[in-house]
Amino acid sequence: DYPDLDFIVYRGERRLLEPFFSGLGYVPDRNFNLLNGERRQIFYDSRNGRRVDIFVGDFEMCHRLPMRDDRLRSHPVTVPLTELFLSKVQIVELNHKDILDLIALMLDNEVGPEGEDVINLRRITRLCMRDWGLYKTLSISLSRVEEVVVAQNPGLSEAERQIVLKRITAIRRALDSAAKPLLWVVRDRIGTR
């Protein structure tokens, strides 16, 4: 079931969105687009009951994920795998579907130190060391995913469960072993207060 589609466009292409989607029969969410159009726009496909959510420039929901041109150009059809993973794990209030999406991403994709064909630990670590809030949300989200895999087992074989758990552990180890900037350490001591 795909109730919505998510896209990201270059900042300079923002003004092309409404004519393009309107030409395809989509209806803009005028109020939302007027207030947020610089960063995000929404269009509706009433014929198929689908929503299209378009991020402009960077991906920004609970946390900001920078999407420079080189990141957007690194894959011809989709955002890089790491950014896809981060776009899910940065959600503060994960729902069950988000957790299943993360489980599927970690089950189907290797975690590695670098590269576009893996969930890139170097990129995750770099972004989390710049943004303590992203680190904290990612840590909480991974714990929630782990809890579902261990306690609720959403239809995984034992081998699949172990793969997901091993990849969660690899992400945690990369974050734990990363050099922490002083401001990050101070923010970590304050915690969520």
Side-chain angles (χ1 to χ4, degrees), residues 43-79:
F43 293 85
Y44 296 99
D45 174 6
S46 56
R47 184 178 57 214
N48 295 305
R50 191 172 294 141
R51 174 178 133 156
V52 175
D53 206 339
I54 303 146
F55 296 89
V56 179
D58 295 329
F59 178 90
E60 191 169 347
M61 286 185 74
C62 300
H63 298 280
R64 185 179 158 276
L65 301 176
M67 293 294 291
R68 299 180 320 265
D69 286 357
D70 63 325
R71 297 304 299 159
L72 287 176
R73 294 184 204 288
S74 68
H75 193 282
V77 177
T78 186
V79 295

Side-chain angles (χ1 to χ4, degrees), residues 24-189:
L24 294 173
Y26 287 77
V27 177
D29 183 327
R30 295 243 181 252
N31 289 336
F32 183 90
N33 293 354
L34 182 65
L35 293 171
N36 303 288
E38 294 285 324
R39 297 178 301 124
R40 190 169 160 204
Q41 295 189 27
I42 295 174
F43 293 85
Y44 296 99
D45 174 6
S46 56
R47 184 178 57 214
N48 295 305
R50 191 172 294 141
R51 174 178 133 156
V52 175
D53 206 339
I54 303 146
F55 296 89
V56 179
D58 295 329
F59 178 90
E60 191 169 347
M61 286 185 74
C62 300
H63 298 280
R64 185 179 158 276
L65 301 176
M67 293 294 291
R68 299 180 320 265
D69 286 357
D70 63 325
R71 297 304 299 159
L72 287 176
R73 294 184 204 288
S74 68
H75 193 282
V77 177
T78 186
V79 295
L81 180 58
T82 304
E83 277 74 2
L84 181 59
F85 172 78
L86 286 168
S87 75
K88 282 292 181 180
V89 81
Q90 62 83 44
I91 299 171
V92 172
E93 294 183 16
L94 281 177
N95 63 37
H96 192 67
K97 181 189 173 299
D98 297 323
I99 291 172
L100 294 178
D101 289 346
L102 282 165
I103 290 170
L105 275 168
M106 287 189 281
L107 180 61
D108 293 339
N109 298 283
E110 293 285 334
V111 171
E114 57 186 276
E116 296 303 326
D117 57 341
V118 298
I119 297 173
N120 185 317
L121 294 172
R122 184 166 294 161
R123 178 128 178 95
I124 290 170
T125 302
R126 187 171 44 247
L127 290 173
C128 285
M129 292 306 107
R130 291 180 188 164
D131 182 348
W132 180 86
L134 175 61
Y135 162 81
K136 187 66 177 174
T137 302
L138 182 144
S139 298
I140 292 167
S141 295
L142 287 178
S143 292
R144 292 205 44 222
V145 170
E146 183 178 49
E147 181 181 304
V148 168
V149 169
V150 170
Q152 299 174 17
N153 189 6
L156 301 175
S157 69
E158 183 57 31
E160 290 170 330
R161 288 175 69 223
Q162 291 307 315
I163 288 170
V164 173
L165 294 173
K166 179 179 138 201
R167 291 176 179 165
I168 289 172
T169 299
I171 295 167
R172 283 186 176 137
R173 282 188 182 142
L175 291 169
D176 289 346
S177 66
K180 311 314 191 262
L182 180 60
L183 289 175
W184 190 99
V185 172
V186 170
R187 180 65 184 91
D188 192 47
R189 285 189 184 140

